[in-house]
């Protein structure tokens, strides 16, 4: 496996321009000679992985004279659009708290089988772009999570074989509208309107580039979640997970090929330890209801800010921070042509 | 609006090569000077629509000397992979029959609000490629439907404005695995494993190219569905639909931008008239259960063939036929590099 960090610059069309980013996220360089976009690199990963790793090593060694400062404000999500976003829910304590606080059943099958939904992937927003929705009475909420990008995974791939298909790791803000979620789920068809466009961390890192921060196919560092300037949680992915990414990938690939560039999430990170807090407002409100009888923390309102980041043991940002504010949608599509 | 029919030839990479096809589906021509792939044309639709229409007119006039015979066997689905496949269910009689026969509730909200799920779009199969799954004990089933491809639809677009975003129309085989569908839906997260890769008709046609066969944003001709050589249904899209494509598009765009190349389906076509038959085996079996007490027609077994086609009043194929057989998956991904 090759060490690399990559990002996507907001220019050059809908899919942006692929950048290789240095380990400390300070420097970047475009690599049109390898691939114009991240999706095109994933489409030919076996050919591109080595050359991208070479550029990463050269960047870190300070020998790329064409390097420029990496500015997360100018980054799109590493994949500005993707052919797939599917998300499991492996930190079951998140679902337990949310369902218990609203007296809804949690299907027992979710303890023994992967639960996973197909999400929208045609239109992501950048890590510093606003979360947009028509009305904040829809109770907008962040959901901080960890996700992976895979190469081609053939139908029937086992969990044992699936780990090798994890090529990149990112953080995600799986933006949700809580006011319409229960009625939508009651239709039995999953979630759609209650899941607007996600944003991802400015940088995606290969498992190897994460070093000790990635073990047994999972991030070992806390996901730090801040809302309106207040830290609401810092749960760890490697605690209290019922399933891992390899099992999620195998679940998805059971009855279909999963194509390169698919993004697979593991759900809202949550730990049983109350000290870990919450990675979304719905869960925080659920804890308030269970502990105190009623929810105190409001959902997001227009103008509210959120921040999601993970750092290594020395405090260095691994993927850069997702920093978004909530804005009313203006009827103008978020497409960078 | 411009008249055109387009298809995708299985060569030139994962997204294939865009072809313009003549009205009678006899001739085709590649148009690299306009766009290499259908997605790239949809990404710049305002620039590409006119030139594609000009090629279509020239093909039909017999003045393109570089035209070659169009062979559906060599066609992929018009979009071999897409950024979005979302499907509503507007022919409620389909759901009524299927739920009633299995004593499951049909949520009343589906009569007054669009029900829609997010489906997989990273990996479609060609119109003449096999339906693949690991085991036919999963009760594989076809679902014949009508779908549209849109250009960029901004968040908040009304149903009134949505019709103009319909750029192309196709047929779809929304392949399903019935044995695992109820347990998956019971998890409350929608459908995933029970929905393997779809196939689409060899040709996508613009609404204008369909003439009288497209009225009020709906196909007016029967969708002819054949299984194991037997015609099982020929329901019409313009009968018994609770909602139309503009409403489906507006539903999807309520809380997010819908990006060019998104495919939106309307569900399994079904009419109240029993003479129209069924467009999937589950519904046919439901009718048998309701009429005769038990299901006679088996689900698909390895080797079984299906066919889906729509023709104009003179019997000419509008989109070409989806013709697939069921095959055991062999662990080799269906990617054309």
């Amino acid at each position: 496996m090759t060490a690399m960090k990559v990002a996507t610059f907001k220019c050059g069309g809908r899919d942006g321009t692929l950048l290789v980013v240095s380990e400390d996220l300070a420097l970047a360089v475009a690599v049109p000679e390898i691939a114009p976009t991240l999706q095109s690199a994933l489409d030919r990963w076996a050919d591109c992985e080595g050359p991208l790793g070479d550029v990463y090593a050269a960047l870190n060694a300070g020998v790329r004279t064409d390097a420029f400062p990496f500015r997360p404000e100018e980054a799109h999500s590493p994949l500005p659009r993707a052919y797939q976003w599917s998300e499991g829910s492996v930190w079951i304590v998140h679902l337990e708290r949310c369902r218990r606080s609203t007296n809804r059943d949690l299907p027992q099958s979710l303890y023994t089988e992967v639960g996973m939904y197909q999400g929208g992937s045609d239109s992501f927003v950048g890590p510093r772009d606003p979360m947009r929705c028509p009305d904040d009475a829809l109770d907008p909420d962040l959901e901080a999570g960890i996700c992976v990008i895979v190469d081609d995974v053939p139908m029937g791939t086992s969990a044992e074989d699936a780990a090798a298909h994890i090529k990149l790791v990112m953080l995600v803000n799986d933006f949700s509208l809580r006011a319409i979620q229960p009625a939508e789920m009651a239709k039995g068809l999953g979630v759609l309107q209650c899941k607007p466009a996600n944003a991802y961390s400015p940088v995606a890192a290969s498992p190897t580039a994460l070093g000790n921060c990635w073990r047994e196919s999972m991030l070992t560092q806390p996901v730090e979640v801040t809302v309106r300037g207040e830290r609401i949680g810092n749960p760890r992915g490697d605690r209290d997970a019922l399933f891992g990414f390899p099992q999620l990938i195998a679940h998805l690939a059971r009855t279909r090929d999963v194509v390169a560039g698919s993004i697979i999430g593991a759900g809202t990170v949550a730990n049983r330890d109350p000290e870990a807090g919450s990675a979304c407002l719905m869960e925080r409100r659920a804890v308030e209801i269970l502990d105190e009888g009623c929810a105190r923390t409001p959902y997001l309102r227009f103008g509210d800010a959120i921040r999601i980041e993970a750092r290594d043991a020395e405090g260095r940002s691994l993927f850069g921070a997702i920093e978004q504010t909530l804005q009313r949608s203006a009827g103008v599509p978020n497409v960078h042509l």
Side-chain angles (χ1 to χ4, degrees), chain A residues 87-169:
Chain A
E87 188 175 41
S89 195
V90 307
W91 294 284
I92 198 78
V93 62
H94 165 70
L95 295 181
E96 285 173 357
R97 287 171 180 152
C98 293
R99 303 277 172 115
R100 195 150 26 106
S101 70
T102 50
N103 295 313
R104 286 181 298 153
D105 281 341
L106 183 61
Q108 276 300 311
S109 58
L110 291 177
Y111 285 89
T112 53
E113 298 165 24
V114 167
M116 191 176 230
Y117 75 92
Q118 189 87 48
S121 62
D122 63 312
S123 162
F124 300 134
V125 300
R128 305 295 168 94
D129 290 339
M131 296 172 280
R132 292 161 60 244
C133 74
D135 188 343
D136 60 5
L138 298 177
D139 289 341
D141 193 3
L142 81 165
E143 283 194 336
I146 305 159
C147 58
V148 300
I149 306 177
V150 296
D151 65 352
D152 289 305
V153 183
M155 194 188 310
T157 295
S158 67
E160 193 172 33
D161 292 340
H165 291 285
I166 298 173
K167 299 307 176 189
L168 295 166
V169 182

Side-chain angles (χ1 to χ4, degrees), chain A residues 21-324:
Chain A
V21 180
S22 60
E23 183 177 13
D24 63 2
L25 313 186
L27 294 174
V29 65
V31 285
E33 71 284 6
I34 302 173
T37 68
L38 180 52
Q39 181 63 52
S40 70
L42 289 157
D43 283 349
R44 302 177 293 111
W45 193 251
D47 295 335
C48 295
E49 186 177 16
L52 291 172
D54 292 344
V55 173
Y56 180 69
L59 258 186
N60 291 335
V63 298
R64 282 289 294 224
T65 54
D66 53 345
F68 52 86
F70 175 64
R71 296 167 51 85
E73 305 74 31
E74 294 168 356
H76 210 304
S77 285
L79 288 170
R81 56 181 177 174
Y83 294 104
Q84 177 156 247
W85 157 249
S86 287
E87 188 175 41
S89 195
V90 307
W91 294 284
I92 198 78
V93 62
H94 165 70
L95 295 181
E96 285 173 357
R97 287 171 180 152
C98 293
R99 303 277 172 115
R100 195 150 26 106
S101 70
T102 50
N103 295 313
R104 286 181 298 153
D105 281 341
L106 183 61
Q108 276 300 311
S109 58
L110 291 177
Y111 285 89
T112 53
E113 298 165 24
V114 167
M116 191 176 230
Y117 75 92
Q118 189 87 48
S121 62
D122 63 312
S123 162
F124 300 134
V125 300
R128 305 295 168 94
D129 290 339
M131 296 172 280
R132 292 161 60 244
C133 74
D135 188 343
D136 60 5
L138 298 177
D139 289 341
D141 193 3
L142 81 165
E143 283 194 336
I146 305 159
C147 58
V148 300
I149 306 177
V150 296
D151 65 352
D152 289 305
V153 183
M155 194 188 310
T157 295
S158 67
E160 193 172 33
D161 292 340
H165 291 285
I166 298 173
K167 299 307 176 189
L168 295 166
V169 182
M170 308 182 288
L171 302 179
V172 57
N173 175 17
D174 179 35
F175 181 34
S176 299
L177 301 173
R178 302 303 191 186
I180 56 176
Q181 186 167 355
E184 188 158 60
M185 291 183 75
K187 291 181 186 171
L189 301 168
V191 288
L192 189 93
Q193 285 187 335
C194 68
K195 292 286 185 183
N198 291 346
Y200 298 83
S201 49
V203 168
S206 70
T208 306
L210 294 171
N212 288 333
C213 300
W214 185 256
R215 268 203 307 272
E216 296 179 23
S217 300
M218 182 51 78
L219 194 68
T220 60
Q221 291 298 109
V223 177
E224 304 169 6
V225 186
T226 304
V227 174
R228 293 179 284 253
E230 179 195 357
R231 174 72 53 85
I232 66 162
N234 48 7
R236 284 174 57 155
D238 61 344
R239 293 187 180 153
D240 307 319
L242 281 184
F243 306 100
F245 283 106
Q247 288 158 295
L248 297 181
I249 296 165
H251 181 87
L252 187 59
R254 180 181 170 208
T255 57
R256 48 165 126 167
D257 300 324
V258 176
V259 161
S262 291
I263 310 173
I264 295 155
T268 306
V269 192
N271 295 155
R272 296 208 176 271
D273 177 2
E275 292 297 309
S278 301
C280 75
L281 293 171
M282 188 185 192
E283 186 186 318
R284 183 182 169 100
R285 289 165 56 89
V287 171
E288 291 167 351
I289 291 169
L290 295 170
D291 289 355
E292 307 165 36
C294 68
R296 282 182 293 105
T297 307
Y299 283 114
L300 298 174
R301 297 296 170 236
F302 289 132
D304 285 353
I306 69 100
R307 188 169 203 278
I308 300 170
E309 190 172 25
R311 291 181 291 172
D312 68 13
E314 285 72 46
R316 294 172 299 204
S317 189
L318 291 168
F319 311 98
I322 300 172
E323 292 180 2
Q324 299 184 273

